[in-house]
Amino acid sequence: MLFFLASIQFLVLIYIILYEYKQGSASIFLWTMNLIVIGVGGILAIIIEPKYSFDTYIKGYIFSILFMSIYIITRVILNSFSKKRLIKRIQENLIKNNEIYINQIFKVLALLSFLLFIMYSLRMFGNIFEVTWSNYVYTRPELFSFEYFLSFFSQQFRFIAIPILFIYIYKKQKFQFFIYSIFLFLPFIFTRDRVQILPFFVIIILIFYVKNKKLTIGLIAKYFLLGVFILVFLYAFRIYRFYGSLHNFIDKFNYDVFYEQVSNLFKTNNGELGLIDAYYYFIENDNNFLGFGQMATYNRMLLFFVPTQFSFGLKHSDFAITMYSAYFNNYSNTVGSMHPTLIGDCYANAGEFGIFLGIFWAFFVKIIDLICYRRNILLSIFLTITWSYNYIIMARGAVYNGFINSIYTSILISLVFYFFKSRKKTKKKYYIQN
């Protein structure tokens, strides 16, 4: 019975991915990640040392299937009113017009992001080769200090500029791609923050998408192999993170030990495929935890523009921290965060009524596709890539983080495009008058 429901859940996820692929929606990244963490993770949960009761798994599968059914029904209804297909439009425009040029400002921002990261690391940690993931994530500079702005602008400039790599790959400009990949992704080697590598994988997958009009068996095989590679890479990088600094990794690296450590993550279902465990833990305990069932994630999304400390209590605190405290029974926790997949986050926010959040996500996906559907095809590409890699973050269960990252980056990208477009028009008008 459990395996039957797990299989139904998996097949529904496959159907949604194929539907969104046909619709040309950026949400294929949301649902492909859901396929991994919910579909595959949900099957492994009952194969590798089941931890919870039979009823818990039954309830978990039924909740997930109902949520996804409500989502896809709502999506079909919404799409009947609009025929705009985001990625299909990008594909058609790239085929018709290969002369798409990147404004120099994005190249400058890529270089600046790298230089600011070096400055920040030296000021905060003294030696870039001694930077560890934990001190990078948990060592926070004082608010509005010089180091704070170095960190902020380094990250923002990087995420604004990353989509230029898509154009370089598409136009086969290998030298430019190599140089700017160094600027944009070398910090990832030092910080071990896996979020920073996600845009690269998204860009590769989008290249496959826009260069192939039809979804063939061969293309599906390529997507599958790429997906397996990405998953193994993320697991391997998690082990790399455990070594601490780059200097320590170089000193102590042993291939056999490293391979065994990565294999153990798969064998113990520890990693991306084990995120769903928290979802079942919440079900097992009937969501009976402090701060649960209050729609905290969606409250924060609604009030994203208001800093929590200035919201007079209207904006909930970070629900990811609340879920971590509940999962590990550590209510003194202030920094640890739990990401129990999108489904787990929905259940923790609304209990059994969380299935109706499928309606919210159907509208959300539709709105984001429309936001990314711009007349300026380059702006459309930049926004699509931004939301695509953040969809992966949301699918893992870091819903608010993925949402707020997308909002800020989209606003900054749009401002850069608007500023230079306005500047170009002003210059043109000046030359005509003179």
Side-chain angles (χ1 to χ4, degrees):
M1 181 64 177
L2 290 182
F3 190 78
F4 173 75
L5 287 175
S7 300
I8 295 296
Q9 176 180 259
F10 189 86
L11 291 174
V12 172
L13 282 161
I14 291 290
Y15 176 80
I16 293 175
I17 292 171
L18 293 175
Y19 176 83
E20 297 295 11
Y21 193 95
K22 184 178 179 181
Q23 292 299 314
S25 171
S27 67
I28 56 172
F29 292 95
L30 176 73
W31 290 103
T32 300
M33 191 62 186
N34 277 330
L35 178 68
I36 295 171
V37 296
I38 297 171
V40 178
I43 292 174
L44 293 180
I46 58 173
I47 294 176
I48 303 176
E49 297 182 10
K51 296 168 58 177
Y52 305 106
S53 68
F54 179 84
D55 289 344
T56 290
Y57 288 115
I58 290 289
K59 187 174 180 180
Y61 292 135
I62 291 175
F63 179 93
S64 175
I65 293 168
L66 289 175
F67 170 89
M68 293 186 291
S69 299
I70 291 172
Y71 168 87
I72 195 63
I73 290 170
T74 308
R75 280 286 286 151
V76 170
I77 294 172
L78 290 176
N79 286 332
S80 66
F81 295 101
S82 174
K83 299 300 181 182
K84 292 182 178 179
R85 296 183 178 183
L86 171 63
I87 298 179
K88 293 292 185 182
R89 180 174 177 273
I90 292 174
Q91 180 186 58
E92 291 167 359
N93 276 268
L94 286 173
I95 292 172
K96 291 178 182 177
N97 179 21
N98 197 33
E99 299 301 316
I100 295 179
Y101 297 100
I102 300 170
N103 194 298
Q104 293 294 327
I105 186 60
F106 293 106
K107 302 176 185 179
V108 173
L109 291 178
L111 175 60
L112 278 176
S113 72
F114 179 70
L115 295 177
L116 292 176
F117 168 76
I118 298 296
M119 290 176 61
Y120 171 76
S121 299
L122 293 176
R123 290 184 68 92
M124 290 294 291
F125 312 115
N127 184 342
I128 192 170
F129 291 96
E130 296 298 334
V131 176
T132 66
W133 174 79
S134 59
N135 63 30
Y136 177 76
V137 171
Y138 296 116
T139 303
R140 303 289 186 182
E142 185 179 345
L143 192 63
F144 302 131
S145 64
F146 180 64
E147 290 77 13
Y148 172 86
F149 286 109
L150 284 177
S151 175
F152 176 81
F153 286 112
S154 172
Q155 293 186 50
Q156 291 304 319
F157 289 167
R158 184 181 307 121
F159 287 126
I160 291 172
I162 277 174
I164 65 176
L165 298 179
F166 176 91
I167 304 300
Y168 289 140
I169 295 177
Y170 187 83
K171 298 176 74 172
K172 298 181 180 179
Q173 296 175 332
K174 298 177 183 178
F175 178 75
Q176 292 93 328
F177 173 77
F178 175 74
I179 294 299
Y180 288 100
S181 290
I182 291 175
F183 293 153
L184 293 167
F185 291 118
L186 193 59
F188 165 71
I189 301 298
F190 296 102
T191 64
R192 300 155 191 79
D193 184 0
R194 293 181 296 172
V195 169
Q196 296 181 21
I197 199 64
L198 291 179
F200 180 77
F201 292 133
V202 164
I203 287 169
I204 298 299
I205 294 170
L206 277 177
I207 289 293
F208 277 112
Y209 197 159
V210 301
K211 287 199 170 186
N212 296 275
K213 288 186 176 182
K214 294 183 179 180
L215 185 63
T216 63
I217 299 298
L219 186 58
I220 292 173
K222 289 179 181 179
Y223 282 136
F224 174 77
L225 292 175
L226 183 59
V228 171
F229 170 79
I230 292 172
L231 187 61
V232 173
F233 180 89
L234 293 175
Y235 271 66
F237 226 84
R238 188 178 180 194
I239 296 298
Y240 166 57
R241 179 191 292 177
F242 294 161
Y243 280 80
S245 66
L246 179 60
H247 183 269
N248 191 56
F249 176 76
I250 294 172
D251 281 347
K252 298 184 178 181
F253 176 77
N254 178 285
Y255 174 79
D256 292 331
V257 173
F258 189 83
Y259 175 80
E260 185 179 354
Q261 290 173 322
V262 175
S263 298
N264 285 336
L265 284 183
F266 280 96
K267 291 175 182 177
T268 58
N269 205 22
N270 189 356
E272 313 310 301
L273 297 176
L275 291 173
I276 200 169
D277 184 75
Y279 167 51
Y280 297 129
Y281 178 77
F282 298 154
I283 293 175
E284 181 88 352
N285 292 276
D286 294 322
N287 238 17
N288 189 23
F289 302 104
L290 183 66
F292 277 53
Q294 298 179 14
M295 295 289 286
T297 298
Y298 299 88
N299 166 274
R300 287 176 64 76
M301 290 171 72
L302 181 64
L303 300 175
F304 75 90
F305 54 89
V306 182
T308 305
Q309 59 269 36
F310 301 134
S311 68
F312 302 104
L314 293 176
K315 186 176 181 179
H316 286 257
S317 57
D318 190 344
F319 191 53
I321 293 177
T322 302
M323 289 189 288
Y324 180 99
S325 300
Y327 186 67
F328 291 102
N329 194 28
N330 176 15
Y331 287 93
S332 62
N333 165 60
T334 58
V335 292
S337 57
M338 166 56 64
H339 305 141
T341 75
L342 175 63
I343 292 292
D345 185 80
C346 288
Y347 182 80
N349 269 278
E352 295 173 356
F353 291 102
I355 59 172
F356 296 109
L357 286 172
I359 298 173
F360 167 85
W361 283 101
F363 274 92
F364 184 88
V365 164
K366 188 64 177 180
I367 292 169
I368 298 309
D369 280 351
L370 291 175
I371 288 173
C372 296
Y373 197 98
R374 300 292 91 191
R375 179 177 298 177
N376 184 323
I377 192 63
L378 193 59
L379 174 58
S380 190
I381 291 170
F382 272 56
L383 292 176
T384 299
I385 292 171
T386 296
W387 282 96
S388 293
Y389 67 77
N390 279 293
Y391 268 146
I392 296 174
I393 297 172
M394 294 180 202
R396 293 182 77 255
V399 177
Y400 182 75
N401 286 352
F403 171 76
I404 201 68
N405 290 344
S406 299
I407 290 290
Y408 287 153
T409 304
S410 296
I411 290 173
L412 292 172
I413 286 173
S414 299
L415 287 174
V416 171
F417 270 90
Y418 178 79
F419 174 77
F420 283 94
K421 182 181 179 181
S422 299
R423 187 180 176 189
K424 186 176 180 180
K425 286 182 178 180
T426 302
K427 280 187 176 182
K428 185 177 181 181
K429 183 177 180 181
Y430 174 81
Y431 291 137
I432 292 174
Q433 290 176 345
N434 286 274

